[in-house]
Short mmCIF file of all heavy atoms in Angstrom, two decimals:
data_model
loop_
_atom_site.label_atom_id
_atom_site.label_comp_id
_atom_site.label_asym_id
_atom_site.label_seq_id
_atom_site.Cartn_x
_atom_site.Cartn_y
_atom_site.Cartn_z
N MET A 1 83.06 -15.27 51.61
CA MET A 1 82.27 -16.25 50.83
C MET A 1 82.03 -15.70 49.43
O MET A 1 81.27 -14.77 49.23
CB MET A 1 80.94 -16.47 51.53
CG MET A 1 80.47 -17.88 51.36
SD MET A 1 79.44 -18.32 52.75
CE MET A 1 78.13 -19.16 51.96
N VAL A 2 82.71 -16.25 48.46
CA VAL A 2 82.64 -15.69 47.11
C VAL A 2 81.45 -16.27 46.34
O VAL A 2 80.66 -15.56 45.76
CB VAL A 2 83.94 -15.97 46.34
CG1 VAL A 2 83.84 -15.40 44.94
CG2 VAL A 2 85.13 -15.37 47.07
N ASN A 3 81.35 -17.57 46.39
CA ASN A 3 80.26 -18.20 45.65
C ASN A 3 79.10 -18.57 46.58
O ASN A 3 78.56 -19.64 46.53
CB ASN A 3 80.75 -19.44 44.90
CG ASN A 3 81.65 -19.04 43.75
OD1 ASN A 3 81.35 -18.10 43.04
ND2 ASN A 3 82.74 -19.75 43.57
N GLY A 4 78.76 -17.63 47.41
CA GLY A 4 77.71 -17.93 48.38
C GLY A 4 76.34 -17.46 47.94
O GLY A 4 75.59 -16.91 48.72
N PHE A 5 76.03 -17.67 46.69
CA PHE A 5 74.71 -17.26 46.21
C PHE A 5 73.67 -18.33 46.51
O PHE A 5 73.81 -19.46 46.08
CB PHE A 5 74.75 -16.99 44.71
CG PHE A 5 75.65 -15.84 44.34
CD1 PHE A 5 76.87 -16.07 43.75
CD2 PHE A 5 75.25 -14.53 44.57
CE1 PHE A 5 77.70 -15.00 43.39
CE2 PHE A 5 76.07 -13.47 44.23
CZ PHE A 5 77.29 -13.70 43.64
N GLU A 6 72.67 -17.92 47.21
CA GLU A 6 71.60 -18.87 47.49
C GLU A 6 70.40 -18.55 46.62
O GLU A 6 70.10 -17.38 46.37
CB GLU A 6 71.19 -18.76 48.96
CG GLU A 6 72.31 -19.14 49.89
CD GLU A 6 71.76 -19.85 51.13
OE1 GLU A 6 70.54 -20.02 51.23
OE2 GLU A 6 72.57 -20.21 51.98
N PRO A 7 69.72 -19.59 46.15
CA PRO A 7 68.54 -19.36 45.32
C PRO A 7 67.49 -18.56 46.09
O PRO A 7 67.29 -18.78 47.28
CB PRO A 7 68.01 -20.77 45.03
CG PRO A 7 69.10 -21.70 45.39
CD PRO A 7 70.01 -21.01 46.35
N ARG A 8 66.90 -17.61 45.40
CA ARG A 8 65.85 -16.80 46.04
C ARG A 8 64.60 -16.83 45.19
O ARG A 8 64.67 -16.90 43.97
CB ARG A 8 66.35 -15.36 46.18
CG ARG A 8 67.37 -15.22 47.30
CD ARG A 8 68.21 -13.99 47.09
NE ARG A 8 67.37 -12.82 46.93
CZ ARG A 8 67.75 -11.72 46.28
NH1 ARG A 8 68.93 -11.67 45.73
NH2 ARG A 8 66.96 -10.70 46.17
N VAL A 9 63.49 -16.74 45.85
CA VAL A 9 62.22 -16.73 45.13
C VAL A 9 61.75 -15.30 44.94
O VAL A 9 61.64 -14.54 45.89
CB VAL A 9 61.14 -17.54 45.89
CG1 VAL A 9 59.80 -17.45 45.17
CG2 VAL A 9 61.57 -19.00 46.01
N LEU A 10 61.53 -14.95 43.68
CA LEU A 10 61.07 -13.60 43.35
C LEU A 10 59.74 -13.67 42.62
O LEU A 10 59.34 -14.74 42.15
CB LEU A 10 62.11 -12.91 42.46
CG LEU A 10 63.53 -12.80 43.01
CD1 LEU A 10 64.45 -12.25 41.93
CD2 LEU A 10 63.58 -11.93 44.24
N ILE A 11 59.09 -12.54 42.51
CA ILE A 11 57.82 -12.49 41.78
C ILE A 11 58.04 -11.77 40.46
O ILE A 11 58.60 -10.68 40.42
CB ILE A 11 56.74 -11.73 42.60
CG1 ILE A 11 56.63 -12.27 44.02
CG2 ILE A 11 55.41 -11.75 41.86
CD1 ILE A 11 56.00 -13.62 44.12
N CYS A 12 57.57 -12.40 39.41
CA CYS A 12 57.71 -11.82 38.08
C CYS A 12 56.76 -10.64 37.92
O CYS A 12 55.61 -10.70 38.33
CB CYS A 12 57.40 -12.89 37.04
SG CYS A 12 57.36 -12.27 35.36
N CYS A 13 57.26 -9.55 37.33
CA CYS A 13 56.43 -8.36 37.17
C CYS A 13 55.46 -8.50 36.00
O CYS A 13 54.55 -7.73 35.84
CB CYS A 13 57.30 -7.11 37.00
SG CYS A 13 58.08 -6.97 35.40
N GLU A 14 55.68 -9.50 35.17
CA GLU A 14 54.82 -9.69 34.00
C GLU A 14 53.66 -10.64 34.31
O GLU A 14 52.51 -10.29 34.15
CB GLU A 14 55.63 -10.27 32.84
CG GLU A 14 56.73 -9.36 32.35
CD GLU A 14 56.29 -8.48 31.19
OE1 GLU A 14 55.17 -8.65 30.70
OE2 GLU A 14 57.08 -7.62 30.79
N CYS A 15 54.00 -11.83 34.73
CA CYS A 15 52.96 -12.84 34.95
C CYS A 15 52.63 -13.02 36.44
O CYS A 15 51.72 -13.75 36.78
CB CYS A 15 53.38 -14.17 34.32
SG CYS A 15 54.88 -14.86 35.04
N GLU A 16 53.39 -12.32 37.28
CA GLU A 16 53.16 -12.36 38.72
C GLU A 16 53.28 -13.76 39.32
O GLU A 16 52.68 -14.07 40.34
CB GLU A 16 51.82 -11.72 39.07
CG GLU A 16 51.83 -10.25 38.69
CD GLU A 16 50.56 -9.52 39.11
OE1 GLU A 16 49.63 -10.18 39.56
OE2 GLU A 16 50.53 -8.29 38.97
N GLU A 17 54.03 -14.58 38.63
CA GLU A 17 54.32 -15.92 39.15
C GLU A 17 55.62 -15.86 39.92
O GLU A 17 56.49 -15.05 39.63
CB GLU A 17 54.50 -16.90 37.98
CG GLU A 17 53.25 -17.13 37.17
CD GLU A 17 52.35 -18.17 37.79
OE1 GLU A 17 52.85 -18.94 38.65
OE2 GLU A 17 51.17 -18.22 37.44
N GLU A 18 55.72 -16.77 40.86
CA GLU A 18 56.99 -16.87 41.56
C GLU A 18 58.00 -17.56 40.66
O GLU A 18 57.66 -18.46 39.91
CB GLU A 18 56.82 -17.71 42.83
CG GLU A 18 56.03 -16.98 43.90
CD GLU A 18 55.99 -17.79 45.18
OE1 GLU A 18 56.39 -18.97 45.16
OE2 GLU A 18 55.55 -17.25 46.19
N PHE A 19 59.22 -17.10 40.73
CA PHE A 19 60.28 -17.79 40.01
C PHE A 19 61.52 -17.77 40.86
O PHE A 19 61.66 -16.95 41.76
CB PHE A 19 60.52 -17.16 38.64
CG PHE A 19 61.11 -15.77 38.69
CD1 PHE A 19 62.47 -15.57 38.50
CD2 PHE A 19 60.31 -14.67 38.91
CE1 PHE A 19 63.02 -14.29 38.53
CE2 PHE A 19 60.85 -13.39 38.94
CZ PHE A 19 62.20 -13.20 38.75
N VAL A 20 62.42 -18.69 40.56
CA VAL A 20 63.63 -18.82 41.36
C VAL A 20 64.79 -18.09 40.70
O VAL A 20 65.08 -18.31 39.54
CB VAL A 20 64.00 -20.31 41.57
CG1 VAL A 20 65.27 -20.42 42.39
CG2 VAL A 20 62.86 -21.04 42.26
N PHE A 21 65.35 -17.20 41.45
CA PHE A 21 66.57 -16.52 41.02
C PHE A 21 67.72 -17.39 41.53
O PHE A 21 68.09 -17.32 42.69
CB PHE A 21 66.58 -15.13 41.65
CG PHE A 21 67.67 -14.21 41.17
CD1 PHE A 21 68.26 -14.38 39.92
CD2 PHE A 21 68.08 -13.15 41.95
CE1 PHE A 21 69.24 -13.52 39.48
CE2 PHE A 21 69.07 -12.28 41.52
CZ PHE A 21 69.64 -12.47 40.27
N THR A 22 68.20 -18.22 40.67
CA THR A 22 69.18 -19.23 41.09
C THR A 22 70.53 -18.63 41.44
O THR A 22 70.85 -17.50 41.04
CB THR A 22 69.39 -20.26 39.97
OG1 THR A 22 69.94 -19.59 38.83
CG2 THR A 22 68.10 -20.93 39.57
N GLY A 23 71.30 -19.38 42.14
CA GLY A 23 72.65 -18.95 42.51
C GLY A 23 73.46 -18.63 41.27
O GLY A 23 74.17 -17.63 41.22
N ALA A 24 73.34 -19.47 40.26
CA ALA A 24 74.09 -19.26 39.02
C ALA A 24 73.66 -17.96 38.36
O ALA A 24 74.49 -17.21 37.85
CB ALA A 24 73.87 -20.44 38.09
N ALA A 25 72.37 -17.73 38.36
CA ALA A 25 71.85 -16.50 37.75
C ALA A 25 72.33 -15.27 38.52
O ALA A 25 72.67 -14.26 37.93
CB ALA A 25 70.33 -16.54 37.71
N GLN A 26 72.37 -15.41 39.83
CA GLN A 26 72.84 -14.29 40.65
C GLN A 26 74.31 -14.00 40.37
O GLN A 26 74.74 -12.85 40.30
CB GLN A 26 72.65 -14.60 42.13
CG GLN A 26 71.20 -14.57 42.54
CD GLN A 26 71.02 -14.94 44.00
OE1 GLN A 26 71.64 -14.37 44.87
NE2 GLN A 26 70.18 -15.90 44.26
N GLU A 27 75.04 -15.07 40.17
CA GLU A 27 76.46 -14.93 39.87
C GLU A 27 76.63 -14.22 38.52
O GLU A 27 77.43 -13.32 38.36
CB GLU A 27 77.08 -16.32 39.81
CG GLU A 27 78.56 -16.30 40.10
CD GLU A 27 79.13 -17.70 40.20
OE1 GLU A 27 78.37 -18.64 40.48
OE2 GLU A 27 80.33 -17.85 39.98
N TYR A 28 75.82 -14.65 37.57
CA TYR A 28 75.82 -14.08 36.24
C TYR A 28 75.52 -12.58 36.31
O TYR A 28 76.19 -11.77 35.69
CB TYR A 28 74.77 -14.82 35.41
CG TYR A 28 74.60 -14.34 34.00
CD1 TYR A 28 75.45 -14.80 32.99
CD2 TYR A 28 73.58 -13.45 33.68
CE1 TYR A 28 75.27 -14.36 31.68
CE2 TYR A 28 73.39 -13.02 32.38
CZ TYR A 28 74.23 -13.47 31.39
OH TYR A 28 74.06 -13.04 30.11
N PHE A 29 74.52 -12.25 37.08
CA PHE A 29 74.14 -10.85 37.25
C PHE A 29 75.28 -10.07 37.89
O PHE A 29 75.61 -8.97 37.46
CB PHE A 29 72.88 -10.75 38.13
CG PHE A 29 71.60 -10.68 37.35
CD1 PHE A 29 71.26 -11.68 36.46
CD2 PHE A 29 70.75 -9.60 37.50
CE1 PHE A 29 70.08 -11.61 35.73
CE2 PHE A 29 69.56 -9.52 36.77
CZ PHE A 29 69.23 -10.52 35.89
N ALA A 30 75.84 -10.65 38.93
CA ALA A 30 76.91 -9.98 39.66
C ALA A 30 78.12 -9.73 38.76
O ALA A 30 78.73 -8.66 38.79
CB ALA A 30 77.31 -10.81 40.86
N GLU A 31 78.42 -10.72 37.92
CA GLU A 31 79.55 -10.59 37.00
C GLU A 31 79.35 -9.43 36.03
O GLU A 31 80.29 -8.79 35.60
CB GLU A 31 79.71 -11.88 36.20
CG GLU A 31 80.55 -12.91 36.92
CD GLU A 31 80.58 -14.23 36.17
OE1 GLU A 31 80.14 -14.27 35.01
OE2 GLU A 31 81.04 -15.21 36.77
N ARG A 32 78.10 -9.22 35.69
CA ARG A 32 77.80 -8.15 34.75
C ARG A 32 77.55 -6.82 35.44
O ARG A 32 77.22 -5.83 34.79
CB ARG A 32 76.58 -8.55 33.93
CG ARG A 32 77.02 -9.45 32.83
CD ARG A 32 75.95 -10.32 32.29
NE ARG A 32 76.60 -11.25 31.39
CZ ARG A 32 76.64 -11.08 30.07
NH1 ARG A 32 76.07 -10.06 29.51
NH2 ARG A 32 77.26 -11.94 29.32
N GLY A 33 77.68 -6.82 36.72
CA GLY A 33 77.55 -5.58 37.47
C GLY A 33 76.11 -5.16 37.72
O GLY A 33 75.85 -4.02 38.04
N TYR A 34 75.18 -6.11 37.53
CA TYR A 34 73.79 -5.79 37.82
C TYR A 34 73.56 -5.89 39.33
O TYR A 34 73.88 -6.90 39.92
CB TYR A 34 72.83 -6.75 37.13
CG TYR A 34 72.92 -6.75 35.63
CD1 TYR A 34 72.65 -7.90 34.90
CD2 TYR A 34 73.25 -5.58 34.94
CE1 TYR A 34 72.73 -7.91 33.52
CE2 TYR A 34 73.32 -5.59 33.56
CZ TYR A 34 73.06 -6.75 32.85
OH TYR A 34 73.13 -6.75 31.50
N THR A 35 73.04 -4.84 39.88
CA THR A 35 72.83 -4.85 41.32
C THR A 35 71.36 -5.08 41.67
O THR A 35 71.03 -5.36 42.80
CB THR A 35 73.30 -3.52 41.94
OG1 THR A 35 72.70 -2.44 41.24
CG2 THR A 35 74.80 -3.39 41.86
N GLU A 36 70.50 -4.94 40.67
CA GLU A 36 69.08 -5.12 40.96
C GLU A 36 68.64 -6.54 40.65
O GLU A 36 69.18 -7.19 39.77
CB GLU A 36 68.26 -4.14 40.13
CG GLU A 36 68.40 -2.73 40.64
CD GLU A 36 67.58 -1.75 39.81
OE1 GLU A 36 66.63 -2.18 39.15
OE2 GLU A 36 67.92 -0.57 39.84
N ASP A 37 67.62 -6.95 41.35
CA ASP A 37 67.06 -8.27 41.08
C ASP A 37 66.34 -8.26 39.75
O ASP A 37 65.82 -7.24 39.33
CB ASP A 37 66.04 -8.63 42.17
CG ASP A 37 66.71 -8.85 43.51
OD1 ASP A 37 67.93 -9.07 43.54
OD2 ASP A 37 66.00 -8.83 44.53
N PRO A 38 66.29 -9.40 39.10
CA PRO A 38 65.53 -9.48 37.86
C PRO A 38 64.05 -9.29 38.15
O PRO A 38 63.57 -9.69 39.21
CB PRO A 38 65.81 -10.89 37.36
CG PRO A 38 66.26 -11.66 38.54
CD PRO A 38 66.90 -10.68 39.46
N LYS A 39 63.35 -8.65 37.23
CA LYS A 39 61.94 -8.39 37.47
C LYS A 39 61.06 -9.43 36.80
O LYS A 39 59.88 -9.52 37.09
CB LYS A 39 61.58 -7.01 36.92
CG LYS A 39 62.21 -5.88 37.70
CD LYS A 39 61.68 -4.55 37.21
CE LYS A 39 62.25 -3.39 38.00
NZ LYS A 39 63.69 -3.20 37.75
N ARG A 40 61.65 -10.18 35.88
CA ARG A 40 60.86 -11.13 35.11
C ARG A 40 61.35 -12.55 35.32
O ARG A 40 62.54 -12.77 35.48
CB ARG A 40 60.94 -10.80 33.62
CG ARG A 40 60.28 -9.52 33.27
CD ARG A 40 60.58 -9.16 31.83
NE ARG A 40 59.88 -7.93 31.45
CZ ARG A 40 60.35 -6.72 31.71
NH1 ARG A 40 61.49 -6.55 32.31
NH2 ARG A 40 59.64 -5.67 31.36
N CYS A 41 60.43 -13.48 35.23
CA CYS A 41 60.82 -14.88 35.27
C CYS A 41 61.52 -15.21 33.95
O CYS A 41 61.52 -14.40 33.02
CB CYS A 41 59.60 -15.77 35.46
SG CYS A 41 58.47 -15.79 34.08
N LYS A 42 62.06 -16.37 33.88
CA LYS A 42 62.87 -16.71 32.72
C LYS A 42 62.09 -16.63 31.42
O LYS A 42 62.55 -16.06 30.44
CB LYS A 42 63.45 -18.11 32.90
CG LYS A 42 64.61 -18.34 31.95
CD LYS A 42 65.37 -19.58 32.33
CE LYS A 42 66.48 -19.85 31.34
NZ LYS A 42 67.20 -21.07 31.64
N SER A 43 60.90 -17.19 31.41
CA SER A 43 60.15 -17.21 30.16
C SER A 43 59.71 -15.80 29.74
O SER A 43 59.77 -15.45 28.58
CB SER A 43 58.96 -18.16 30.25
OG SER A 43 58.06 -17.74 31.22
N CYS A 44 59.31 -14.99 30.73
CA CYS A 44 58.93 -13.62 30.40
C CYS A 44 60.15 -12.83 29.96
O CYS A 44 60.06 -11.99 29.07
CB CYS A 44 58.28 -12.93 31.60
SG CYS A 44 56.64 -13.56 31.94
N TYR A 45 61.27 -13.12 30.57
CA TYR A 45 62.50 -12.43 30.21
C TYR A 45 62.90 -12.75 28.77
O TYR A 45 63.26 -11.87 28.00
CB TYR A 45 63.62 -12.85 31.18
CG TYR A 45 64.93 -12.16 30.90
CD1 TYR A 45 65.09 -10.81 31.19
CD2 TYR A 45 65.99 -12.85 30.32
CE1 TYR A 45 66.28 -10.16 30.92
CE2 TYR A 45 67.19 -12.21 30.06
CZ TYR A 45 67.33 -10.86 30.36
OH TYR A 45 68.52 -10.24 30.08
N MET A 46 62.79 -14.03 28.43
CA MET A 46 63.12 -14.46 27.08
C MET A 46 62.21 -13.76 26.08
O MET A 46 62.64 -13.29 25.03
CB MET A 46 62.93 -15.97 26.93
CG MET A 46 63.91 -16.77 27.76
SD MET A 46 65.62 -16.52 27.26
CE MET A 46 66.17 -18.20 27.24
N HIS A 47 60.94 -13.72 26.44
CA HIS A 47 59.95 -13.09 25.60
C HIS A 47 60.28 -11.61 25.40
O HIS A 47 60.23 -11.07 24.30
CB HIS A 47 58.58 -13.24 26.26
CG HIS A 47 57.44 -12.93 25.35
ND1 HIS A 47 57.00 -13.81 24.39
CD2 HIS A 47 56.68 -11.82 25.23
CE1 HIS A 47 55.98 -13.24 23.74
NE2 HIS A 47 55.77 -12.05 24.22
N TYR A 48 60.64 -10.99 26.50
CA TYR A 48 60.99 -9.58 26.53
C TYR A 48 62.21 -9.32 25.65
O TYR A 48 62.23 -8.40 24.83
CB TYR A 48 61.25 -9.20 27.98
CG TYR A 48 61.87 -7.85 28.22
CD1 TYR A 48 61.11 -6.68 28.09
CD2 TYR A 48 63.19 -7.74 28.62
CE1 TYR A 48 61.67 -5.45 28.34
CE2 TYR A 48 63.76 -6.51 28.87
CZ TYR A 48 63.00 -5.36 28.73
OH TYR A 48 63.57 -4.15 28.98
N LYS A 49 63.21 -10.15 25.80
CA LYS A 49 64.43 -10.01 25.01
C LYS A 49 64.14 -10.15 23.52
O LYS A 49 64.62 -9.40 22.70
CB LYS A 49 65.45 -11.09 25.41
CG LYS A 49 66.14 -10.79 26.70
CD LYS A 49 67.19 -9.71 26.54
CE LYS A 49 68.56 -10.31 26.32
NZ LYS A 49 69.61 -9.33 26.55
N LYS A 50 63.33 -11.15 23.24
CA LYS A 50 62.99 -11.45 21.87
C LYS A 50 62.24 -10.26 21.25
O LYS A 50 62.50 -9.87 20.12
CB LYS A 50 62.09 -12.69 21.85
CG LYS A 50 62.24 -13.50 20.61
CD LYS A 50 61.47 -14.80 20.81
CE LYS A 50 61.58 -15.68 19.59
NZ LYS A 50 60.85 -16.95 19.79
N ALA A 51 61.32 -9.72 22.03
CA ALA A 51 60.53 -8.59 21.56
C ALA A 51 61.43 -7.40 21.27
O ALA A 51 61.24 -6.68 20.29
CB ALA A 51 59.49 -8.21 22.60
N GLN A 52 62.41 -7.22 22.13
CA GLN A 52 63.34 -6.11 21.94
C GLN A 52 64.17 -6.29 20.69
O GLN A 52 64.33 -5.40 19.89
CB GLN A 52 64.29 -6.02 23.13
CG GLN A 52 63.76 -5.19 24.25
CD GLN A 52 64.86 -4.83 25.24
OE1 GLN A 52 65.80 -5.57 25.41
NE2 GLN A 52 64.73 -3.70 25.86
N ARG A 53 64.70 -7.51 20.58
CA ARG A 53 65.60 -7.78 19.46
C ARG A 53 64.84 -7.87 18.15
O ARG A 53 65.36 -7.49 17.11
CB ARG A 53 66.34 -9.09 19.74
CG ARG A 53 67.58 -9.21 18.90
CD ARG A 53 68.34 -10.46 19.23
NE ARG A 53 69.00 -10.39 20.53
CZ ARG A 53 69.70 -11.38 21.05
NH1 ARG A 53 69.81 -12.52 20.42
NH2 ARG A 53 70.28 -11.26 22.21
N GLY A 54 63.63 -8.39 18.24
CA GLY A 54 62.86 -8.61 17.02
C GLY A 54 62.10 -7.38 16.55
O GLY A 54 61.48 -7.41 15.52
N ALA A 55 62.16 -6.32 17.35
CA ALA A 55 61.41 -5.12 17.00
C ALA A 55 61.94 -4.54 15.70
O ALA A 55 63.14 -4.41 15.52
CB ALA A 55 61.54 -4.09 18.12
N PRO A 56 61.06 -4.24 14.81
CA PRO A 56 61.50 -3.68 13.53
C PRO A 56 62.13 -2.32 13.73
O PRO A 56 61.59 -1.46 14.40
CB PRO A 56 60.22 -3.57 12.71
CG PRO A 56 59.10 -3.65 13.67
CD PRO A 56 59.62 -4.37 14.89
N GLN A 57 63.28 -2.17 13.15
CA GLN A 57 63.96 -0.89 13.28
C GLN A 57 64.34 -0.39 11.90
O GLN A 57 64.90 -1.14 11.10
CB GLN A 57 65.22 -1.06 14.13
CG GLN A 57 64.89 -1.26 15.58
CD GLN A 57 66.16 -1.43 16.41
OE1 GLN A 57 67.27 -1.26 15.92
NE2 GLN A 57 65.99 -1.77 17.66
N HIS A 58 64.05 0.84 11.68
CA HIS A 58 64.41 1.41 10.39
C HIS A 58 65.64 2.26 10.57
O HIS A 58 65.59 3.48 10.58
CB HIS A 58 63.25 2.23 9.85
CG HIS A 58 62.00 1.42 9.70
ND1 HIS A 58 61.80 0.56 8.66
CD2 HIS A 58 60.92 1.32 10.49
CE1 HIS A 58 60.62 -0.02 8.81
NE2 HIS A 58 60.06 0.41 9.92
N VAL A 59 66.73 1.56 10.79
CA VAL A 59 67.97 2.28 11.03
C VAL A 59 68.92 2.04 9.86
O VAL A 59 69.27 0.91 9.57
CB VAL A 59 68.62 1.83 12.34
CG1 VAL A 59 69.94 2.58 12.56
CG2 VAL A 59 67.68 2.07 13.52
N GLY A 60 69.30 3.09 9.25
CA GLY A 60 70.27 3.00 8.16
C GLY A 60 69.79 2.13 7.00
O GLY A 60 70.57 1.57 6.28
N ALA A 61 68.49 2.02 6.88
CA ALA A 61 67.96 1.20 5.80
C ALA A 61 68.16 1.89 4.45
O ALA A 61 68.43 1.25 3.46
CB ALA A 61 66.48 0.94 6.04
N ARG A 62 68.01 3.16 4.50
CA ARG A 62 68.14 3.90 3.24
C ARG A 62 69.19 4.97 3.34
O ARG A 62 69.19 5.77 4.25
CB ARG A 62 66.80 4.55 2.89
CG ARG A 62 66.04 3.70 1.94
CD ARG A 62 64.79 4.41 1.53
NE ARG A 62 63.77 3.42 1.20
CZ ARG A 62 62.59 3.75 0.73
NH1 ARG A 62 62.27 5.00 0.55
NH2 ARG A 62 61.73 2.83 0.42
N LYS A 63 70.03 4.95 2.37
CA LYS A 63 71.03 6.02 2.32
C LYS A 63 71.14 6.48 0.89
O LYS A 63 71.11 5.67 -0.03
CB LYS A 63 72.38 5.43 2.76
CG LYS A 63 72.84 6.01 4.08
CD LYS A 63 74.23 5.51 4.41
CE LYS A 63 74.69 6.03 5.74
NZ LYS A 63 76.03 5.53 6.07
N ARG A 64 71.27 7.77 0.74
CA ARG A 64 71.38 8.25 -0.62
C ARG A 64 72.81 8.55 -0.97
O ARG A 64 73.50 9.16 -0.25
CB ARG A 64 70.58 9.53 -0.78
CG ARG A 64 69.14 9.27 -0.69
CD ARG A 64 68.36 10.56 -0.86
NE ARG A 64 68.96 11.41 -1.90
CZ ARG A 64 68.25 12.31 -2.58
NH1 ARG A 64 66.99 12.42 -2.40
NH2 ARG A 64 68.82 13.09 -3.45
ZN1 ZN B 1 56.80 -14.17 34.17
#
């Protein structure tokens, strides 16, 4: 059974709400080689990603 991903209900580590780890999401994770379940619900995950990406970084800003 290749595409036998069933939706699972997980608890978000941020807001402690239940969220559904959908079959599509599981497939996506599997394709990327992630073996662990997501810890955050979608909205917390988005927030987390945004925070990471939006974090100010002073990398290579100045070169002499
Ligand atoms: Zn959450």
Side-chain angles (χ1 to χ4, degrees):
M1 214 153 137
V2 180
N3 290 318
F5 296 106
E6 296 215 0
R8 285 158 54 205
V9 176
L10 303 173
I11 308 289
C12 174
C13 75
E14 297 267 354
C15 62
E16 297 185 352
E17 294 277 342
E18 289 185 349
F19 68 99
V20 179
F21 189 24
T22 63
Q26 288 178 53
E27 205 173 337
Y28 178 84
F29 265 58
E31 274 174 11
R32 279 157 188 262
Y34 299 149
T35 52
E36 287 180 22
D37 291 342
K39 292 187 178 69
R40 292 171 177 84
C41 68
K42 197 167 177 183
S43 63
C44 289
Y45 181 72
M46 294 296 226
H47 193 78
Y48 169 75
K49 283 285 264 197
K50 210 171 180 179
Q52 273 195 329
R53 199 177 288 178
Q57 287 180 7
H58 302 282
V59 179
R62 263 184 209 185
K63 247 185 182 179
R64 291 180 39 154

